[in-house]
């Protein structure tokens, strides 16, 4: 059966918790970044009348919006769910051309959605997770409620069975369709009203419902559901109850396709009247129903806890062995923080000598302040690039032998250490700057990746990870074994030895980005650092 989300009251209480989860957690870190920083998606929703795929270049003048397309995509993807056998649900199957070609999925909004969100999926965030996040952000960035989000959806490998109701279907057919998906009649009313707080019916897709218009601010002739089609509010309900609605699925000339009219009135307008009377009721209902909608998944998906923001979060970390030094790059994000020139942020760390002495600290430099969810959330980044001496230094230099084992941050001398746990760092395995390419940086013909392994770690396996995609666009991860050295190869530091991998001469292997993976006694140790390609290093001597 479908997985259900936590209730809104639980969400609010969890948002108030000190730490949502323990860092590092690669999957939750990736999901948290996408959900709360809205990485790679903010531009598609700022402003909320943005439409990025108008073939005539109309953009906001098209009468369409990315937000509406994203919400519709999530519902149509989920609507294949069958509560009786657990098949279907929100699993990214609507990316397949076979599903998009069905009459129930008419329009180019699904294709446009995947063009916008495709780059956000990776080894930890599935395509289906990205669809769910896109719907969540459409609400939060455009005046709507914050919707509880969990990750862990499994991507479909083939199209699902048909199942999306269409405007010409009868009321009984709609009720049956939503019941199959796991929703009651009243919940059906709520889901339709919440989704139709955004968007419109497109003339090109439904010419019998949305007539062609001559309007320079609606170049694609879209018939809007309410008078605020790019903003979440309860006008979908107030205009319906007052009799002033412009909703083409309520007041359309062809009553056969007036599906919203039949759905909204199916309980004597009780639900719609409650939405019209109380914007708060409408918002809280939508938060709950949309969470349930995106959490309607088949049993193969094991959803995470609700993904909430971390108050302090290191990210974009990178360690590189350079001679007898470790160059450390990265940044730290502080939630609910804005720019303040008087604020001092310091990085404090422990090393392998068991020391956290006065030398193990560095004052960090303010990088930028950002917002998300339409400005509702604020956060600031500080970079591990102190440049305190004006030399342009872009890293913190660590003694390689002492290294680093744990981090803490001091904000105006207030220690932030993840509830006493600190922020653990692994410096056991990293790229070495002795990696190199042959040919030229513009046209590399080969190369060698050197991996520095701290003496005493004794890994049973070192491998390179290269991310790709399969023929259904799902992220894949290729593991490439690095040969065990026949003899110990010293590095520039007595603390490390070098394992080397000679890259094939095909260009894809040379310019591909790699992460390092390691196993110690058969147990994989996750790497949370930057990926690198060999042409980022120097030419081989």
């Amino acid at each position: 059966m479908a997985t259900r989300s936590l209730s809104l009251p639980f969400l609010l209480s969890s948002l108030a918790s000190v730490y949502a989860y323990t860092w590092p957690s690669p999957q939750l870190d990736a999901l948290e970044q996408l959900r709360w920083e809205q990485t790679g998606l903010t531009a598609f929703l700022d402003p909320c009348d943005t439409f990025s795929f108008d073939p005539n270049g109309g953009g906001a003048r098209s009468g369409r919006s990315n937000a509406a397309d994203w919400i519709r995509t999530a519902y149509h993807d989920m609507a294949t769910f069958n509560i009786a056998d657990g098949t279907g649900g929100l699993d990214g199957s609507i990316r397949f051309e076979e599903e998009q070609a069905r009459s129930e999925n008419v329009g180019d909004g699904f294709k446009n959605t995947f063009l916008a969100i495709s780059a956000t999926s990776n080894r930890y965030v599935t395509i289906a997770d990205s669809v769910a996040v896109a719907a969540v952000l459409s609400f939060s960035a455009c005046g709507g409620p914050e919707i509880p989000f969990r990750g862990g959806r499994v991507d479909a490998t083939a199209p699902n069975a048909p199942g999306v109701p269409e405007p010409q279907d009868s009321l009984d057919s709609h009720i049956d369709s939503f019941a199959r998906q796991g929703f009651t009649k009243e919940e059906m009313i709520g889901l339709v009203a919440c989704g139709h707080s955004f968007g419109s019916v497109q003339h090109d897709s439904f010419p019998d419902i949305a007539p062609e218009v001559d309007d320079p601010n609606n170049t694609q002739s879209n018939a809007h559901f309410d008078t605020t089609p790019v903003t979440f509010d309860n006008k979908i309900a107030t205009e319906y109850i007052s009799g002033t609605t412009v909703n083409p699925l309520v007041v359309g000339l062809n009553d056969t396709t007036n599906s919203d009219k039949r759905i909204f009135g199916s309980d004597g307008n009780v639900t719609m009247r409650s939405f019209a009377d109380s914007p708060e009721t409408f918002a809280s209902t939508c938060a709950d129903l949309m969470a349930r909608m995106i959490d309607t998944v088949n049993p193969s998906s094991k959803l995470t806890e609700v993904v909430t923001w971390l108050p302090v979060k290191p990210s974009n970390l990178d360690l590189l062995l350079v001679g007898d030094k470790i160059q450390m790059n990265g940044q730290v994000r502080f939630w609910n923080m804005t720019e303040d020139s008087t604020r001092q942020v310091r990085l404090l760390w422990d090393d392998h000598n068991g020391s956290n002495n006065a030398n193990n600290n560095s004052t960090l430099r303010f990088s930028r302040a950002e917002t998300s969810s339409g400005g509702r959330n604020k956060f600031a980044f500080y970079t591990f690039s102190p440049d305190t001496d004006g030399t342009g230094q872009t890293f913190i230099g660590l003694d390689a032998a002492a290294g680093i084992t744990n981090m803490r941050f001091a904000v105006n001398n207030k220690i932030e250490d993840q509830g006493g746990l600190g922020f653990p760092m692994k410096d056991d395995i990293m790229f070495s700057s002795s990696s190199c390419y042959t040919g030229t940086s513009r046209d590399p013909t080969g190369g060698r990746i050197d991996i520095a392994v701290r003496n005493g770690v004794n890994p049973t396996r070192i491998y390179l990870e290269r991310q790709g995609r399969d023929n259904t666009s799902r992220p894949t991860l290729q593991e490439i074994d690095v040969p065990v050295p026949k003899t110990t190869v010293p590095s520039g530091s007595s603390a490390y030895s070098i394992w080397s991998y000679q890259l094939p001469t095909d260009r894809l292997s040379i310019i591909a980005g790699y992460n390092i993976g390691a196993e110690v006694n058969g147990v994989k140790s996750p790497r949370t650092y930057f990926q690198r390609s060999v042409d980022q290093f120097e030419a081989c001597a």
Side-chain angles (χ1 to χ4, degrees):
M1 62 181 296
T3 302
R4 296 305 190 195
S5 73
L6 299 180
S7 66
L8 185 62
F10 183 93
L11 170 70
L12 296 176
S13 65
S14 67
L15 288 179
S17 62
V18 176
Y19 277 88
Y21 62 89
T22 300
W23 183 95
S25 171
Q27 181 190 24
L28 290 175
D29 287 339
L31 292 167
E32 192 260 14
Q33 182 181 32
L34 183 61
R35 166 63 182 91
W36 293 104
E37 292 180 29
Q38 303 175 12
T39 309
L41 296 177
T42 301
F44 288 95
L45 300 173
D46 185 16
C48 284
D49 63 355
T50 300
F51 180 64
S52 307
F53 303 97
D54 185 353
N56 299 316
R61 294 186 295 106
S62 67
R64 292 176 62 180
S65 69
N66 295 327
D69 277 358
W70 293 1
I71 294 167
R72 182 171 182 250
T73 297
Y75 172 72
H76 280 238
D77 196 13
M78 180 282 301
T80 60
F81 186 70
N82 189 324
I83 197 170
D85 59 16
T87 57
L90 207 162
D91 58 8
S93 67
I94 202 165
R95 73 187 186 278
F96 293 110
E97 291 185 5
E98 179 181 324
E99 280 199 29
Q100 293 184 20
R102 297 171 185 162
S103 62
E104 65 188 35
N105 294 324
V106 66
D108 59 6
F110 310 110
K111 177 183 178 181
N112 293 344
T113 297
F114 287 107
L115 286 173
I117 71 172
S118 60
T120 64
S121 61
N122 53 49
R123 62 188 295 186
Y124 300 119
V125 180
T126 63
I127 296 170
D129 284 340
S130 293
V131 171
V133 169
V136 167
L137 302 190
S138 296
F139 278 87
S140 67
C142 300
E146 298 280 26
I147 297 168
F149 167 74
R150 304 165 184 254
R153 293 162 188 79
V154 173
D155 288 331
T157 57
N160 283 323
V164 184
E166 299 185 61
Q168 69 272 16
D169 292 345
S170 68
L171 175 61
D172 285 344
S173 177
H174 272 88
I175 292 172
D176 289 345
S177 292
F178 278 85
R180 170 181 48 77
Q181 299 160 24
F183 297 95
T184 66
K185 182 174 68 175
E186 288 72 24
E187 291 167 344
M188 170 187 70
I189 297 169
L191 270 175
V192 173
C194 294
H196 288 179
S197 177
F198 293 92
S200 54
V201 177
Q202 300 157 24
H203 168 73
D204 285 348
S205 301
F206 298 94
D208 295 333
I209 299 175
E212 193 165 11
V213 298
D214 183 13
D215 183 347
N217 294 312
N218 189 359
T219 58
Q220 292 198 10
S221 298
N222 296 279
H224 303 311
F225 293 123
D226 65 19
T227 56
T228 54
V230 297
T231 304
F232 177 86
D233 54 34
N234 68 336
K235 287 189 183 296
I236 187 72
T238 58
E239 293 172 359
Y240 168 78
I241 292 297
S242 68
T244 61
T245 184
V246 296
N247 186 341
L249 300 183
V250 173
V251 295
L253 295 179
N254 183 357
D255 200 50
T256 301
T257 55
N258 285 341
S259 55
D260 282 10
K261 174 184 175 182
R262 293 188 289 272
I263 290 169
F264 292 165
S266 62
D267 68 348
N269 291 331
V270 171
T271 299
M272 290 299 285
R273 194 174 299 280
S274 72
F275 295 160
D277 290 343
S278 172
E280 295 77 17
T281 296
F282 185 55
S284 63
T285 300
C286 289
D288 182 62
L289 288 176
M290 287 295 159
R292 286 182 52 192
M293 182 188 84
I294 63 174
D295 284 357
T296 296
V297 298
N298 64 58
S300 64
S301 296
K302 308 301 180 186
L303 296 185
T304 69
E305 61 196 81
V306 173
V307 178
T308 56
W309 44 264
L310 288 183
V312 180
K313 182 183 180 183
S315 62
N316 295 334
L317 299 176
D318 186 43
L319 298 178
L320 176 69
L321 184 67
V322 182
D324 62 354
K325 297 290 184 182
I326 296 174
Q327 291 184 359
M328 178 176 173
N329 287 281
Q331 63 184 12
V332 57
R333 187 200 71 201
F334 296 95
W335 198 258
N336 197 27
M337 183 179 286
T338 57
E339 183 174 0
D340 182 351
S341 60
T342 67
R343 182 187 300 120
Q344 184 190 61
V345 175
R346 290 181 299 136
L347 169 67
L348 315 173
W349 67 88
D350 301 330
D351 60 31
H352 287 274
N353 297 326
S355 171
N356 56 6
N357 62 52
N359 292 326
N360 289 359
N361 79 92
S362 180
T363 299
L364 304 186
R365 188 174 64 203
F366 173 78
S367 173
R368 66 194 187 280
E370 294 188 4
T371 63
S372 65
S373 297
R376 182 180 305 169
N377 304 316
K378 298 177 176 62
F379 42 96
F381 291 91
Y382 283 77
T383 179
F384 295 12
S385 305
D387 191 22
T388 54
D389 56 5
T391 61
Q393 181 176 330
T394 58
F395 57 86
I396 295 173
L398 306 175
D399 176 77
I404 183 172
T405 60
N406 208 347
M407 299 185 297
R408 297 172 304 285
F409 300 93
V411 181
N412 289 340
N413 295 321
K414 179 180 181 296
I415 297 297
E416 298 285 356
D417 60 358
Q418 200 167 206
L421 296 176
F423 297 88
M425 286 288 290
K426 288 181 176 292
D427 67 355
D428 51 348
I429 300 166
M430 67 188 72
F431 287 104
S432 169
S433 65
S434 57
S435 302
C436 63
Y437 61 84
T438 56
T440 67
S441 60
R442 182 168 293 183
D443 186 24
T445 57
R448 184 186 75 241
I449 293 181
D450 286 346
I451 299 169
V453 179
R454 182 174 280 274
N455 296 329
V457 173
N458 300 322
T460 50
R461 180 185 176 222
I462 296 288
Y463 56 95
L464 296 172
E465 299 174 329
R466 187 169 76 179
Q467 185 170 294
R469 294 190 182 272
D470 67 14
N471 59 5
T472 73
S473 299
R474 292 186 306 168
T476 60
L477 200 66
Q478 178 187 11
E479 295 184 356
I480 304 169
D481 282 320
V482 177
V484 178
K486 293 181 179 179
T487 59
T488 300
V489 181
S491 68
S493 167
S494 60
Y496 287 88
S497 298
I498 298 295
W499 294 40
S500 294
Y501 178 74
Q502 199 74 32
L503 286 169
T505 57
D506 65 281
R507 182 171 175 80
L508 180 60
S509 295
I510 298 167
I511 65 174
Y514 294 94
N515 289 315
I516 301 172
E519 291 183 10
V520 177
N521 296 323
V523 179
K524 287 188 175 182
S525 175
R527 306 288 99 181
T528 58
Y529 308 139
F530 278 140
Q531 63 178 10
R532 291 177 180 269
S533 58
V534 71
D535 56 347
Q536 292 177 277
F537 295 98
E538 300 294 326
C540 297

